[in-house]
């Protein structure tokens, strides 16, 4: 069966998106630690992407809230809290 | 005891997180006549929950008699399959048993439905359920937890039950947990694939509402520590991989690619053929076993379920929800006793830790304390599957050479495998002791 791209898959999920960004990247710390490519690989939702200039862009709205990035990011790179109450990914199955 | 404790509280107990652990704690305490607030950050209970395993649900009978009949469960698991998967072969240990259906031993569940029902039970028991509420901080008074805060809102209580999952910010903020090492955590990446009921029953060899659960090792994670899982719901299949974080980081693999590779594996894809993706999700899993369980109590606070690091992978079974329920029952009992005595010091709440240790949760965590280290070994993931397949190939592949006895066939297969006799003896011994 065809699963589709990650973006297509996430489009089938339900999200409530009236919250503010719940993840922040300290670009300087990310560059210094080389965390960008790691975050890009390990996030199942492809929230992180390393841009050409080495900065890390952040599609926070796609977040599945698993916490993998928080667990693996070197200290100081990420500020990560759950999205505001009632917002973020809403699993219909789980 | 501070002077105003007990006099100006909004609730006796605030439970944070309406998952299995939170709902069971809230239900038990409300049933005991305590005033309980159950807060949940999702807009509906269950909207943030995701599980990658079946629910060994006998413990729920203690809380909700007739659970498996009354609750919205999917299928009763009567077939358990341990699958050694290789690129071009597989060997399954396929165990089916009617005894697993009566009394019901395990069920597959979809958490969005299960938690909606659990929260309803809490409301029926007069707990107040407040979804859409994310706890930002704990309120402290003289070193004792005395409530929760979210933005401008503050709610005071005598005890907080932290049931906020594997990333528990409550336990972290309270100083009960620090950052877990990456080898004790894994990420589960999961898809729910919609299929017709009849198709599922035919493909998985099932009757009616009975279900199958697969634990898969070998060629499903491209060598990354972890494995695959697959289980049947009524009209869908939940399937995915669990990837140990240290190994995932080290080996340079892309998490979503490993998930896709597993679903597309030549021996897995036929199960899913013609299906439709209903949901794609991810969840962190505590894989460290006993080593992850730390202090679970501080004045005015107890930690339950995944927030307490309670999860157990024994290789054959992956457990979390039953441990969540077991810890919630023990915690509710201790909290109730503390409320009765009007004493919320660790001395009284510690009763939770000791009864947890004495019950099935603590004892199973202890019994399988060596399992994580054993399962971390790479031979388990890479070498045993091909060896087993070679043995069976020797048995079934009648190539017109004279046949030999099974023992000789097995020995020949073993000699060509990278495994040494000492590995086999050691691993066998360790497996018997650890698993």
């Amino acid at each position: 069966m065809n699963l589709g791209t990650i973006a297509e898959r996430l489009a089938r999920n339900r999200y409530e998106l009236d919250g503010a960004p719940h993840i922040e990247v300290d670009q300087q710390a990310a560059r210094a630690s080389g965390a960008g490519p790691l975050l890009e690989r390990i996030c199942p939702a492809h929230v992180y992407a390393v841009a050409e200039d080495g900065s890390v862009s952040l599609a926070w709205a796609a977040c599945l809230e698993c916490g993998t990035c928080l667990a693996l990011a070197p200290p100081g790179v990420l500020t990560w809290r759950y999205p505001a109450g009632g917002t973020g990914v809403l699993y219909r199955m789980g | 005891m501070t002077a105003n404790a007990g006099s100006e509280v909004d609730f006796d107990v605030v439970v944070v997180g309406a998952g299995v652990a939170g709902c069971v704690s809230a239900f038990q305490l409300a049933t005991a006549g305590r005033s309980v607030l159950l807060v949940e950050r999702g807009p509906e209970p269950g909207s943030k929950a995701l599980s990658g395993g079946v629910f060994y649900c006998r413990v729920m009978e203690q809380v909700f008699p007739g659970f498996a009949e009354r609750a919205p469960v999917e299928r009763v698991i009567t077939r358990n399959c341990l699958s050694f998967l290789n690129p071009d072969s597989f060997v399954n240990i396929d165990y089916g048993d009617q005894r697993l259906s009566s009394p019901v031993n395990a069920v597959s569940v979809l958490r969005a439905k299960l938690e909606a029902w659990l929260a309803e039970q809490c409301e029926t028991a007069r707990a107040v359920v407040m979804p859409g509420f994310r706890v930002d901080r704990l309120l402290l008074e003289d070193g004792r937890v005395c409530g929760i805060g979210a933005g401008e809102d503050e709610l005071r209580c005598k005890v907080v039950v932290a049931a906020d999952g594997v990333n528990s910010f409550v336990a972290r903020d309270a100083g009960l947990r620090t950052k877990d090492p990456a080898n004790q955590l894994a990420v589960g990446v999961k898809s729910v694939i919609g299929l017709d009921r009849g198709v599922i029953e035919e493909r998985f060899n099932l009757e009616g509402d009975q279900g199958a659960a697969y634990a898969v090792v070998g060629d499903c994670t491209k060598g990354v520590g972890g494995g695959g899982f697959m289980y049947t719901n009524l009209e869908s299949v939940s399937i995915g991989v669990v990837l140990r974080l240290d190994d995932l980081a080290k080996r340079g693999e892309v998490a979503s690619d490993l998930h896709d590779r597993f679903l597309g594996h030549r021996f897995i894809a036929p199960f899913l053929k013609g299906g439709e993706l209903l949901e794609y999700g991810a969840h962190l899993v505590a894989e460290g076993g006993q080593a992850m369980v730390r202090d679970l109590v501080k004045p005015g606070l107890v930690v339950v379920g995944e927030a307490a690091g309670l999860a157990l992978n024994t290789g054959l079974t992956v457990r979390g929800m039953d441990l969540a329920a077991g810890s919630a029952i023990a915690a509710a009992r201790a909290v109730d006793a503390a409320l009765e005595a009007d004493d919320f010091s660790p001395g009284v709440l510690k009763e939770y830790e000791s009864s947890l240790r004495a019950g099935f949760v603590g004892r199973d965590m202890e019994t399988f304390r060596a399992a994580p280290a054993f399962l971390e070994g790479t031979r388990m993931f890479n070498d045993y599957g091909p060896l087993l397949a070679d043995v069976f190939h020797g048995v079934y592949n009648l190539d017109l050479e004279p046949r030999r006895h099974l023992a000789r066939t097995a020995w020949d297969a073993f000699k060509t495998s990278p495994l040494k006799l000492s590995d086999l003896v050691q691993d066998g011994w360790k497996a018997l002791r650890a698993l």
Side-chain angles (χ1 to χ4, degrees), chain B residues 3 13 39 57 68 84 95 128 148 167 191 200 204 251 317 332 364:
Chain B
V13 185
V39 297
C57 61
F84 293 87
Y95 163 63
V128 178
I148 53 162
N167 289 312
S191 285
I200 291 175
F204 287 86
R251 285 175 192 258
T317 57
D364 287 359

Side-chain angles (χ1 to χ4, degrees), chain B residues 212-257:
Chain B
Y214 281 67
V216 188
V217 294
D219 189 41
C220 44
T221 54
K222 229 173 156 187
V224 173
F229 62 89
M230 173 165 68
Y231 57 89
T232 55
N233 305 312
L234 269 179
E235 297 185 294
S236 60
V237 173
S238 292
I239 179 164
V241 288
V242 177
L243 310 164
R244 225 178 56 227
L245 292 194
D246 59 328
D247 230 20
L248 175 63
K250 197 171 69 195
R251 285 175 192 258
E253 297 290 348
V254 174
S256 63
D257 287 354

Side-chain angles (χ1 to χ4, degrees), chain B residues 241-319:
Chain B
V241 288
V242 177
L243 310 164
R244 225 178 56 227
L245 292 194
D246 59 328
D247 230 20
L248 175 63
K250 197 171 69 195
R251 285 175 192 258
E253 297 290 348
V254 174
S256 63
D257 287 354
L258 294 176
H259 163 277
D260 296 2
R261 184 177 174 276
F262 177 54
L263 269 62
H265 195 288
R266 70 172 81 215
F267 295 118
I268 297 296
F271 285 111
L272 310 175
K273 201 174 159 194
E276 184 200 356
L277 178 76
L278 301 179
E279 191 164 85
Y280 175 79
H283 188 94
L284 218 52
V285 191
E287 285 261 318
Q290 178 68 27
M292 291 184 86
V293 182
R294 305 197 187 90
D295 285 344
L296 304 181
V297 167
K298 86 180 243 170
L301 177 73
V302 297
V303 187
V304 294
E306 249 184 340
L310 296 172
L312 204 48
N313 177 2
T314 70
L316 297 172
T317 57
V318 178
R319 295 166 50 188

Side-chain angles (χ1 to χ4, degrees), chain A residues 70-94:
Chain A
L70 180 65
L72 282 177
V77 173
L78 289 186
T79 311
W80 194 102
R81 283 296 247 193
Y82 283 129
T87 71
V89 67
L90 312 179
Y91 290 118
R92 276 172 300 196
M93 306 275 161

